[in-house]
Amino acid sequence: MPIRSLIFKLIGVLILALAVWSIWVILTLTGASSKKPGIVDLDPTEYGSIGAFADDLLSPAAGAAPYVGASVAIIREGEVRHLAGYGSKQADQSLPVDPTATPFRLGSVTKWFTATAVAQLVDQGLVDLDQPANTYLKRFELPARFGVDTTVADLLAHRTGLESFDVHTFTERTYDLPVDGDEIRSFLPRQIKRPGAESVYSNFGVSTLGAIVEDVSGLTFNEFVRTRILDPLEMTNSGLDHEFGPGAPDALPKPAILRQDGSWETIPYFAKHPYFIPSGGIYATAEDMTKFMRAHLERGETEFSRRLMSSQGYDRMYEVLGGNADVPNVPKFGFIVWLDDYNGARTMSHSGNVQTFRAFMLLIPDEKLGVFVSEVGDVPYYDRKDAFWKAKNETGVGNALLPFRAAYELASFYIGERTFEATSGLGQKIDLSRYEGEYWNRQRQHSTFLRLFGFEGGASVHIADDATLTIRGRRGFVPVAEHTFMTPDGRRSAVFKIENNQVVSFVDDYPSVWDRVEGIQTPEFRQTAPILLGFLLAITGSLMLFFRSGSKLSPIIGTLAGSGGLLVMGTLLWVLLVLEIQSQRILLEASATIMAWGVIGHLAWIMSAAAAIGSAVAIRQSISSDGGHVRLFSAAGYFALIVLAIATAISIVSLGFFGLSVPGRF
């Protein structure tokens, strides 16, 4: 066999192997394990003390894994009933958690502090909820694309209509505070819906409330929270990102991810971008959170709680401002905080997730009960979607005792299990097929090229064998009201929205809005299409290499494929450059969510295939028309092979096969 043909065939085999690998990746990303880890159910009535119940509840045997460290605080009738730390501050288990001295990042539980700050300004008559937010903003303005101003109440109820997608949320840079208006305008989201309609969770919207606090008070957000909330409540072991620079406080636990071999790996700490501190940049100890909970449970009736505001201020803070459905277990919004009920008793709550830290705070005022749970340590996002990982690790994956579940379990010790009525009272047969389909989380990119990739979650709705709906993999949803479904235990709800007699979306109990999509709009198509395209391009390049050099078709194929390959490769390189410029620092700001690693990985697959074609074209163009002299290493060949190598390396790393440590929103 001529050496030229052998080289061509070897290169073709390598490219085919790359294509096969891409198919394996698709199957791995979209597969699901049938094995489900068991979680022990504990009966609180069998325990004589809340401490013993909490200790067993938070043990790994009860399904609490995976976490490295955790803390719990329970307050009832003004007294601390349980305060404890579990596990360690870091993965090597050398430093036990101290609930009085070990602060945890609160993530979005921070929003409760932002809501409190706004409530203080409202209580003082400095802010009117019905006024346009732009009345108070001095450094930038919110858009009014639909001719309607966004009010302060709209911001508090997440109904701004702004595109809700997290960019620029983490940083290592040092900033002057407050953040400059030009900086804010650089990532100002587009308004995609009329304000005042549906509530769609928005970190930018809450951070804009922080900007209002700054512009009205004349203090930075950090100064306001420190002097108006933390210090008055004597929360001495709590703080905010950037109070002492972008580094992590020494007392803070180390963020960690659980690897495929069952070991914990510490990952770098990244502070919130200072503009996004109001949406997720506070850290606090469990002991300090007992003071915060006490103030909000006493609601101005005691001198301690009046350190923050009057009774009228608290009452206004917890009035219902908006919500997407008036049904049980679909929270409404007061001042940002979720309002729901527990067996008829009103509840206020909020969860938080930031860089493997998870937290949840639950208040039940009628019972004078407050529960706070925080943890550190989580499964990385890309591993959660890896079927191979799930098959090999049968404990904890996707079924961890997350803080929100732990908080409700702990509350049940005092007031019994949370119960619901989930029996259908419609009295007629429901056509479940109209609700079947694919849905896409509204909290995603809508206006930039990142919308092509669909890395914010998708939701599938279909009819199960038992004639109930399965929503997002959860079985057993039954109709309880018109277009409203609930699981038999009442813990999960879904309310579908109808327009022109067609199902257009549903809202769940998070509460999140999910838009119905079809065909190429589905997240699954957008997630797999780049890899499939890469596969097809790689096959094309491989086949080109197997064509004989003397073939009459080869010049035509070489010209077409070469032009197309260069166009694709050039376009994708430009997209990566734009992404780099827009994000400023790709690993810290635009890609602070793991989503961006998926985008980079998928782009890399296309680049790999384009580079493969480029390699083939370069080789074929280096061969004379009569099949003579071969110049394998032309400049074009060098360039294409280098791009192929870089793109493949990015793909491998972005999929986490080599244990990549990156910041993430968990």
Side-chain angles (χ1 to χ4, degrees), residues 486-504:
M486 189 178 291
T487 55
D489 62 6
R491 295 181 182 272
R492 298 291 181 183
S493 299
V495 182
F496 291 85
K497 182 178 180 180
I498 310 297
E499 291 182 0
N500 299 322
N501 204 33
Q502 298 292 322
V503 176
V504 296

Side-chain angles (χ1 to χ4, degrees), residues 489-530:
D489 62 6
R491 295 181 182 272
R492 298 291 181 183
S493 299
V495 182
F496 291 85
K497 182 178 180 180
I498 310 297
E499 291 182 0
N500 299 322
N501 204 33
Q502 298 292 322
V503 176
V504 296
S505 64
F506 76 86
V507 59
D508 63 15
D509 45 82
Y510 184 70
S512 295
V513 177
W514 301 81
D515 296 318
R516 190 169 191 171
V517 290
E518 296 179 350
I520 63 173
Q521 294 294 324
T522 62
E524 288 77 8
F525 179 87
R526 295 186 182 218
Q527 289 171 352
T528 57

Side-chain angles (χ1 to χ4, degrees), residues 53-384:
F53 179 54
D55 291 346
D56 280 357
L57 187 67
L58 269 293
S59 72
Y67 72 83
V68 173
S71 64
V72 173
I74 301 174
I75 182 173
R76 194 178 193 210
E77 297 178 341
E79 296 182 0
V80 177
R81 299 299 178 90
H82 185 63
L83 184 65
Y86 301 90
S88 176
K89 291 174 56 177
Q90 53 193 42
D92 63 11
Q93 301 294 307
S94 62
L95 297 171
V97 171
D98 181 348
T100 68
T102 305
F104 284 73
R105 299 183 80 173
L106 301 184
S108 289
V109 176
T110 296
K111 293 177 172 66
W112 213 313
F113 289 79
T114 304
T116 302
V118 174
Q120 289 176 326
L121 296 179
V122 172
D123 192 38
Q124 296 166 18
L126 299 176
V127 169
D128 185 335
L129 299 186
D130 297 325
Q131 287 295 311
N134 288 335
T135 302
Y136 305 104
L137 292 170
K138 298 178 181 178
R139 285 165 286 165
F140 71 102
E141 289 188 349
L142 292 175
R145 182 182 173 205
F146 296 89
V148 178
D149 288 321
T150 299
T151 66
V152 176
D154 290 333
L155 288 169
L156 289 166
H158 290 292
R159 59 187 188 209
T160 63
L162 294 173
E163 183 175 25
S164 179
F165 193 78
D166 296 336
V167 294
H168 300 277
T169 56
F170 294 87
T171 186
E172 283 185 315
R173 289 175 51 192
T174 299
Y175 290 81
D176 292 330
L177 301 179
V179 178
D180 180 76
D182 290 337
E183 171 81 5
I184 300 170
R185 280 187 288 272
S186 72
F187 48 75
L188 181 67
R190 185 185 181 204
Q191 194 167 49
I192 59 174
K193 296 286 184 180
R194 182 185 178 92
E198 288 179 307
S199 295
V200 178
Y201 194 86
S202 172
N203 283 315
F204 182 87
V206 173
S207 293
T208 301
L209 289 166
I212 290 175
V213 170
E214 291 179 328
D215 291 344
V216 171
S217 69
L219 302 172
T220 68
F221 184 79
N222 285 14
E223 291 170 340
F224 190 97
V225 171
R226 169 63 61 191
T227 59
R228 307 290 178 87
I229 300 176
L230 300 183
D231 288 348
L233 296 183
E234 301 176 16
M235 299 177 66
T236 55
N237 290 310
S238 302
L240 303 91
D241 285 356
H242 296 279
E243 274 195 297
F244 309 104
D250 293 337
L252 198 72
K254 306 296 184 184
I257 52 178
L258 185 62
R259 285 301 180 197
Q260 294 185 0
D261 62 2
S263 64
W264 288 102
E265 178 183 343
T266 300
I267 64 174
Y269 167 91
F270 295 95
K272 279 285 186 178
H273 184 290
Y275 186 74
F276 288 95
I277 291 173
S279 67
I282 292 180
Y283 53 88
T285 64
E287 182 182 46
D288 278 355
M289 291 302 290
T290 65
K291 302 169 184 177
F292 188 74
M293 289 191 292
R294 177 187 165 191
H296 283 271
L297 286 170
E298 294 176 356
R299 298 179 64 161
E301 296 176 356
T302 64
E303 181 180 350
F304 179 80
S305 63
R306 286 193 293 272
R307 295 179 186 180
L308 297 186
M309 60 185 131
S310 69
S311 297
Q312 292 78 11
Y314 288 104
D315 290 343
R316 190 70 189 275
M317 181 175 173
Y318 293 116
E319 291 178 355
V320 174
L321 291 180
N324 294 329
D326 188 18
V327 300
N329 204 31
V330 176
K332 303 174 182 62
F333 293 102
F335 278 29
I336 305 174
V337 176
W338 302 339
L339 305 179
D340 202 0
D341 72 86
Y342 190 121
N343 298 344
R346 194 180 189 197
T347 65
M348 290 91 80
S349 64
H350 211 289
S351 67
N353 298 277
V354 57
Q355 207 190 16
T356 82
F357 287 85
R358 300 172 293 184
F360 189 79
M361 192 169 99
L362 169 68
L363 300 184
I364 308 178
D366 293 346
E367 300 292 337
K368 299 182 180 178
L369 176 64
V371 182
F372 170 77
V373 182
S374 59
E375 297 175 0
V376 65
D378 204 353
V379 179
Y381 180 74
Y382 46 80
D383 275 347
R384 291 182 193 171

Side-chain angles (χ1 to χ4, degrees), residues 299-615:
R299 298 179 64 161
E301 296 176 356
T302 64
E303 181 180 350
F304 179 80
S305 63
R306 286 193 293 272
R307 295 179 186 180
L308 297 186
M309 60 185 131
S310 69
S311 297
Q312 292 78 11
Y314 288 104
D315 290 343
R316 190 70 189 275
M317 181 175 173
Y318 293 116
E319 291 178 355
V320 174
L321 291 180
N324 294 329
D326 188 18
V327 300
N329 204 31
V330 176
K332 303 174 182 62
F333 293 102
F335 278 29
I336 305 174
V337 176
W338 302 339
L339 305 179
D340 202 0
D341 72 86
Y342 190 121
N343 298 344
R346 194 180 189 197
T347 65
M348 290 91 80
S349 64
H350 211 289
S351 67
N353 298 277
V354 57
Q355 207 190 16
T356 82
F357 287 85
R358 300 172 293 184
F360 189 79
M361 192 169 99
L362 169 68
L363 300 184
I364 308 178
D366 293 346
E367 300 292 337
K368 299 182 180 178
L369 176 64
V371 182
F372 170 77
V373 182
S374 59
E375 297 175 0
V376 65
D378 204 353
V379 179
Y381 180 74
Y382 46 80
D383 275 347
R384 291 182 193 171
K385 301 186 75 173
D386 189 331
F388 176 81
W389 199 103
K390 292 181 180 180
K392 296 296 183 181
N393 296 266
E394 299 186 16
T395 58
V397 181
N399 287 274
L401 182 56
L402 297 174
F404 79 88
R405 177 184 166 189
Y408 278 106
E409 294 285 350
L410 292 168
S412 72
F413 179 85
Y414 293 104
I415 58 178
E417 293 286 347
R418 195 180 187 201
T419 60
F420 298 87
E421 290 291 335
T423 302
S424 174
L426 297 182
Q428 56 183 336
K429 184 176 177 59
I430 303 299
D431 180 13
L432 298 181
S433 63
R434 69 181 308 191
Y435 305 104
E436 285 191 298
E438 299 299 321
Y439 297 77
W440 197 353
N441 196 325
R442 180 80 59 79
Q443 194 177 346
R444 67 183 189 270
Q445 273 282 11
H446 292 262
S447 61
T448 73
F449 70 89
L450 290 177
R451 65 180 177 173
L452 298 176
F453 297 93
F455 282 87
E456 289 299 304
S460 178
V461 177
H462 63 270
I463 302 174
D465 296 338
D466 58 357
T468 63
L469 282 185
T470 296
I471 301 177
R472 299 184 65 197
R474 300 184 180 97
R475 297 171 60 90
F477 281 84
V478 297
V480 296
E482 188 174 20
H483 309 307
T484 302
F485 293 80
M486 189 178 291
T487 55
D489 62 6
R491 295 181 182 272
R492 298 291 181 183
S493 299
V495 182
F496 291 85
K497 182 178 180 180
I498 310 297
E499 291 182 0
N500 299 322
N501 204 33
Q502 298 292 322
V503 176
V504 296
S505 64
F506 76 86
V507 59
D508 63 15
D509 45 82
Y510 184 70
S512 295
V513 177
W514 301 81
D515 296 318
R516 190 169 191 171
V517 290
E518 296 179 350
I520 63 173
Q521 294 294 324
T522 62
E524 288 77 8
F525 179 87
R526 295 186 182 218
Q527 289 171 352
T528 57
I531 296 179
L532 290 172
L533 177 59
F535 167 71
L536 293 175
L537 292 177
I539 288 292
T540 302
S542 178
L543 292 175
M544 286 177 55
L545 291 176
F546 277 97
F547 270 109
R548 289 184 304 171
S549 59
S551 170
K552 294 181 180 180
L553 293 177
S554 61
I556 299 175
I557 294 174
T559 301
L560 294 177
S563 300
L566 290 175
L567 178 62
V568 170
M569 192 156 42
T571 301
L572 291 172
L573 288 173
W574 176 80
V575 167
L576 284 175
L577 178 62
V578 170
L579 182 61
E580 173 72 23
I581 293 172
Q582 287 185 345
S583 66
Q584 300 178 29
R585 296 193 64 183
I586 189 69
L587 296 182
L588 298 183
E589 297 185 24
S591 63
T593 67
I594 294 300
M595 178 283 308
W597 277 100
V599 171
I600 293 173
H602 279 40
L603 289 176
W605 281 108
I606 301 177
M607 289 174 60
S608 298
I613 290 182
S615 301

